[in-house]
């Protein structure tokens, strides 16, 4: 229900809806591809209607679509005829026709095949748990450490403050690709390869988070800090009891960013783990593409269920993020 | 009092965890890389000291200059375009309209998704034979193009996709910034009869400068390191190397041609470029930022 309080809100809705279509379109394609069989993915591309065959009304079909659907029905018929025979007489070459959720089943339970299949065993459940554990630990830890540093940068005066700050910013400017090999050599010396330590510890410090929070802390009134310290409030108390509660919106925002960055990180976990039990979901996703070609259907299905938790989490978090607005008491 | 603050060594306690981890995993590897950039090393054999040999070879390579130019082209278009679009969307989303949570989520979905998955989808959209972009243009009777295979269009296509992917990120930061602007300022301005544009020009824009500055610095740094989408969408540096960016150049040298010392020399030049741009931003632009 759209309530019309102001006529200009209609214009805002129209603009936002046009933008939304634009933002969402690729994902609609991703989801519809995830419920299509291989034949359909490779041969339905001439049609601008991206609905899967099973959901598309007949009048939207092109001749090519109809031929493909007919092929599929033939295969289905052949399969059921085959299944009607006694087990020992069946021709094992007749494959089961594609079903709506087959890509999802395949993506979740994909196992190392009989040598033809280049995939590794895919315990996707385990990947999820690894990813969740690493992501939550890194997000919580880096928020805590970064907020302490940002607090010092925003409120204290100390020697070399600007130099240290510029050096922190400097660490963001080195391309990741250049750091991979020195870090790998170092982690191997620590014997941290294939451990959670390797996945977590290097990311507990984030120059980005320090910079982000510093920008918000600088907007907090300085006189509040001076008044509180004169009244005998220790600096850590001021951080814990005043600064943190006041910075709920930036902390939630940063928490979301950190969660996403870690959930989607790919190159680092790929390099520092090689044990299947230590893998994370982005690495799991990469197994769908190999030299033998890309398994589009399962890849899109797996992509769908790896981003779904994020969409849900974000939707829930942003409500809180909206509600906590304007409670920062920053009136001058 | 002031004297005491100047020798405030206790402040370092607050910085300790971040500094220790950054030094261990970011600063020391930089120095390690700097040293290796003076060696000829393929990762397997023994490194051989060649002085500034890697650097002089780098400055003789026209492809390196091309990669710098391509990176600057990417940065100069994508950063302002992204800031302009995301500020517009953030201003629209900062209104008390219904369904706001849904809109906020929708605009953020591309950010949530990993760049690998998104690049695959956009490859399909730009496909010259059956891609959606050509199909949509056909509706308006515009002739089809080869997009990612066209030396002129390949980079704009990557910029467009990158702006689409990153928009939501900046929108959220702008929204957080907008929410920090006290409401009573707008009420006062309305009572004084200020138009929407005047309110934006004299309240929103100046009070939003810390946020805009932050986004500008972060996006500039990020745009100099653009890699994943280029790698996924235009393998081998694109048609006539039109999308060969610096990080792709050094990636190719390091992980395809195994000239590790040479690649790290390129990484170091990139670091110096990015650092200079950021220093300029800090020294020059931050003066114009309005901190309360």
């Amino acid at each position: 229900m759209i309530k019309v309080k102001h006529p200009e809100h209609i214009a805002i809705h129209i603009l936002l809806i046009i933008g939304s279509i634009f933002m969402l379109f690729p994902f609609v394609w991703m989801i519809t591809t995830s419920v299509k069989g291989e034949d359909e993915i490779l041969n339905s591309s001439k049609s601008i209607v991206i609905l899967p065959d099973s959901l598309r009304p007949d009048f939207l079909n092109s001749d090519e679509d109809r031929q493909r659907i007919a092929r599929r029905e033939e295969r289905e018929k052949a399969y059921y005829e085959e299944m009607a025979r006694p087990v020992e007489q069946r021709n094992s070459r007749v494959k089961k026709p594609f079903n709506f959720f087959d890509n999802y089943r395949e993506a979740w339970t994909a196992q190392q095949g009989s040598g033809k299949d280049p995939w590794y065993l895919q315990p996707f459940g385990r990947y999820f748990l690894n990813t969740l554990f690493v992501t939550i630990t890194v997000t919580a830890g880096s928020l805590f450490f970064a907020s302490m540093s940002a607090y010092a940068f925003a409120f204290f005066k100390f020697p070399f403050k600007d130099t240290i700050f510029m050096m922190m910013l400097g660490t963001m400017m080195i391309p990741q690709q250049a750091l991979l090999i020195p870090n790998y050599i170092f982690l191997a010396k620590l014997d941290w390869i294939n451990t959670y330590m390797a996945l977590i510890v290097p990311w507990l410090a984030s120059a980005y988070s320090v910079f982000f929070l510093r920008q918000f802390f600088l907007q907090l009134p300085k006189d509040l800090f001076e008044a509180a310290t004169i009244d005998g409030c220790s600096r850590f108390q001021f951080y814990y009891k005043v600064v943190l509660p006041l910075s709920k919106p930036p902390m939630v925002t940063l928490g979301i960013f950190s969660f996403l960055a870690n959930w989607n990180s790919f190159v680092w976990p790929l390099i520092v783990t090689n044990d299947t039990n230590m893998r994370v979901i982005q690495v799991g996703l990469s197994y769908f593409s190999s030299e033998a070609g890309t398994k589009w259907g399962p890849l899109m299905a797996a992509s769908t269920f790896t981003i779904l938790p994020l969409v849900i989490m974000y939707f829930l978090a942003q409500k809180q993020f909206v509600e906590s607005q304007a409670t920062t008491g920053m009136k001058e | 009092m002031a004297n005491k603050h100047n020798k405030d060594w206790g402040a370092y306690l607050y910085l300790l965890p971040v500094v220790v981890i950054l030094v261990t995993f970011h600063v020391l590897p930089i120095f390690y890389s700097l040293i290796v950039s003076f060696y000829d090393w393929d990762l397997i054999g023994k490194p051989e000291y060649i002085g500034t040999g890697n650097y002089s070879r780098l400055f003789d390579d026209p492809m390196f200059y091309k990669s710098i130019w391509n990176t600057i082209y990417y940065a100069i278009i994508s950063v302002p375009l992204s800031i302009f679009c995301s500020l517009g969307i953030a201003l629209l989303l900062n209104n008390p309209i219904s369904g706001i949570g849904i809109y906020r989520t929708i605009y953020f979905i591309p950010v949530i998704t990993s760049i690998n998955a998104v690049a695959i989808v956009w490859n399909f959209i730009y496909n010259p034979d059956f891609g959606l972009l050509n199909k949509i243009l056909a509706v308006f009777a515009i002739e089809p193009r080869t997009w990612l295979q066209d030396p002129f269009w390949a980079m704009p296509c990557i910029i467009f996709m990158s702006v689409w992917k990153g928009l939501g990120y900046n929108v959220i930061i702008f929204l957080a910034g907008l929410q920090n602007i006290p409401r009573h300022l707008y009420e006062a301005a309305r009572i004084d009869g200020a138009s929407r544009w005047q309110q934006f020009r004299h309240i929103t824009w100046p009070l939003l400068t810390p946020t805009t500055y932050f986004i500008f610095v972060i996006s500039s740094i990020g745009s100099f390191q653009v890699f994943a989408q280029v790698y996924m969408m235009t393998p081998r540096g694109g048609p006539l190397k039109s999308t060969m960016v610096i990080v792709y150049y050094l990636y190719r040298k390091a992980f395809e041609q195994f000239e590790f010392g040479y690649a790290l020399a390129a990484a170091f030049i990139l670091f110096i470029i990015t650092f200079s741009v950021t220093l300029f931003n800090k020294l020059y632009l931050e003066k114009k930022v309005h901190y309360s």
Side-chain angles (χ1 to χ4, degrees), chain A residues 13 16 22 27 29 45 47 157 159 172 177 181 183 208 215-216 219 235 264 296 310 314-315 318, chain B residues 5 8 12 25 95 98 103-105 107 112-113 120 124 135 164 169 172 180 225 227 260 291-292:
Chain A
H13 274 293
L16 284 173
F22 187 65
F27 296 98
W29 180 79
S45 37
S47 159
K157 289 192 184 89
M172 288 194 287
Q177 285 75 7
I181 290 166
N183 274 328
Y208 174 88
Q215 294 304 95
F216 277 92
Q219 295 175 65
R235 293 199 301 197
N264 285 331
W296 293 101
L310 294 181
Y314 177 72
F315 185 72
Q318 64 84 29
Chain B
H5 274 290
D8 187 1
Y12 291 118
F25 293 101
N95 285 296
S98 47
Y103 286 129
R104 281 170 205 251
T105 309
Y107 284 92
I112 292 173
T113 321
I120 290 164
F124 181 82
K135 264 186 228 169
W164 172 87
Y169 202 81
I172 293 302
N180 274 332
Q225 290 177 29
F227 172 70
F260 196 55
Y291 292 113
S292 64

Side-chain angles (χ1 to χ4, degrees), chain A residues 139-156 204-206 209-214 217 236 239-240 243-244 247 250-251 254, chain B residues 14-15 17-18:
Chain A
T139 304
S142 70
L143 273 186
F144 176 63
F145 290 150
S147 62
M148 282 200 337
S149 292
Y151 172 58
F153 280 123
F155 286 95
F156 305 164
L204 283 178
S206 154
S209 304
V210 174
F211 184 25
F212 184 97
L213 288 174
R214 169 190 176 262
F217 291 171
F236 192 75
Y239 158 77
Y240 192 73
V243 175
L244 281 192
S247 14
M251 291 289 268
L254 198 58
Chain B
Y14 289 81
L15 302 180
V18 171

